Each structure stands twice: as structure tokens, then as C-alpha cells.
Amino acid sequence: MTQKKNIPLVIAALVIFILAFAAALIISKIEPHIEDVDSKYVKEHTGKSGYILVDVRPEENYEGKSPRPGIPGGHIPGSINFPLEDLGIAAAPAALAHVGITKQNTIIVYCNTGVMAGWFADRLVRRFHFEPSKIKNYRGSILDWYKEGNILLPEDHDPANGNVIMPPRFQEFDM
């Protein structure tokens, strides 16, 4: 008798599972998929025709000021600066096109950790109708780049506080 009473529960659980699976499938088709990339991808594509590397942080961070302790200021060589907040201005479409952020190019975005870059990428897709496959989010962003020992520009600043120092790769030869 107990097995017959459990049959409706099993059927209900199966129906719920099927509906949840179908909903997840539908949502995955509706939600844009923006690919996360790593530093290797950034190095391979920066400077190539058709690829634009965009630092979405405020200009002062791009120019070398640390946003907070533990996060370096400066930018990845070959990147341009287009702050996330500038996507909200009325002239944003013209400003994007002016710096090469167009639907014809593949856009690689980064920030401090990848979160703001993700928002920027999402807005490019949703508000400006960029193709999701043409947008890449450097998920590790500036923290990953710096921890790997890659150069940040301008080279003559201390990523922690903006003071002028000798670039790290030359410090071991300092006499």
C-alpha cells in the first residue's frame, strides 16, 4: 500500500524536475552568454586588428591611482579607457564608436576583478545591442594581470599608492 501512495509524489517530483529543466533551457537561450577569458587570451588578441581591449574603471585608476589597498592602479598595455559610468550618458553611442568600441570589433573588457567589466559587457549587449559572442570579459582583470607579473602602464608608478618607483623587473639589479 505504501508504494502506491508514493507514486503521486514521484510523479510530482518528476514533473517539477522537467519544468525546472525546461525553464533553465529557455533562460539560457534568452540570457546573453558573454565569454570569460584569461590573460593568455588578452595577450594573444590585444593589438590585433578587430580587437579592442577596454579598461572600464575610472580614468584616475587607468592613469595609475590605486582604487584601494591591494588593487594596483595603471592599465594593461594596449588598452583604452571607457569608464562604466560613461555608458549612461546620452552621447554614449557616439563616444563608443569614436574609440573603436563598435559591433564589428571583438571587445575585451576588464576592471579590477571582472565584476564591473561584466556589467559593462552586459550593457553593451542589452542597451547597445552588441552580439554577445563579440564581447569577452577578462574575469581576473587587473588583479590577475598584476599577480602574474605582467607590466602595468604607466611603468614608473607604484601600483599600491602611485609613488614613482623603479619597475619591478629592474629592482633586482638596483645598486
Side-chain angles (χ1 to χ4, degrees), residues 63-89:
E63 292 297 336
K65 182 178 179 188
S66 173
R68 62 182 180 270
I71 298 180
H75 59 274
I76 298 172
S79 67
I80 63 168
N81 183 232
F82 198 101
L84 172 63
E85 62 191 29
D86 288 356
L87 286 181
I89 65 173

Side-chain angles (χ1 to χ4, degrees), residues 13-29:
L14 185 60
V15 168
I16 290 171
F17 174 78
I18 291 170
L19 290 174
F21 181 77
L25 189 62
I26 290 168
I27 288 171
S28 72
K29 297 295 181 190

Side-chain angles (χ1 to χ4, degrees), residues 24-169:
L25 189 62
I26 290 168
I27 288 171
S28 72
K29 297 295 181 190
I30 295 171
E31 286 294 312
H33 174 70
I34 296 166
E35 181 184 2
D36 288 337
V37 297
D38 59 11
S39 64
K40 181 180 177 189
Y41 183 92
V42 172
K43 289 175 187 174
E44 288 174 0
H45 294 89
T46 299
K48 285 188 175 179
S49 179
Y51 290 86
I52 306 293
L53 179 61
V54 183
D55 185 325
V56 306
R57 300 171 305 150
E59 184 178 4
E60 64 185 12
N61 301 137
Y62 179 83
E63 292 297 336
K65 182 178 179 188
S66 173
R68 62 182 180 270
I71 298 180
H75 59 274
I76 298 172
S79 67
I80 63 168
N81 183 232
F82 198 101
L84 172 63
E85 62 191 29
D86 288 356
L87 286 181
I89 65 173
L96 288 166
H98 180 73
V99 297
I101 302 173
T102 65
K103 295 176 184 176
Q104 293 75 31
N105 290 320
T106 297
I107 311 301
I108 308 166
V109 294
Y110 74 92
C111 57
N112 293 324
T113 62
V115 174
M116 286 180 8
W119 294 340
F120 190 98
D122 187 65
R123 286 188 179 112
L124 286 180
V125 171
R126 292 179 188 276
R127 182 169 174 217
F128 300 100
H129 310 290
F130 279 64
E131 179 62 39
S133 65
K134 300 283 275 181
I135 310 296
K136 311 296 180 193
N137 182 10
Y138 177 19
R139 179 58 79 178
S141 286
I142 208 81
L143 279 178
D144 181 59
W145 187 265
Y146 183 67
K147 285 179 182 177
E148 288 182 1
N150 297 306
I151 295 295
L152 291 173
L153 297 177
E155 289 187 68
D156 60 349
H157 78 285
D158 177 351
N161 62 25
N163 293 337
V164 175
I165 61 165
M166 190 175 288
R169 66 182 185 277

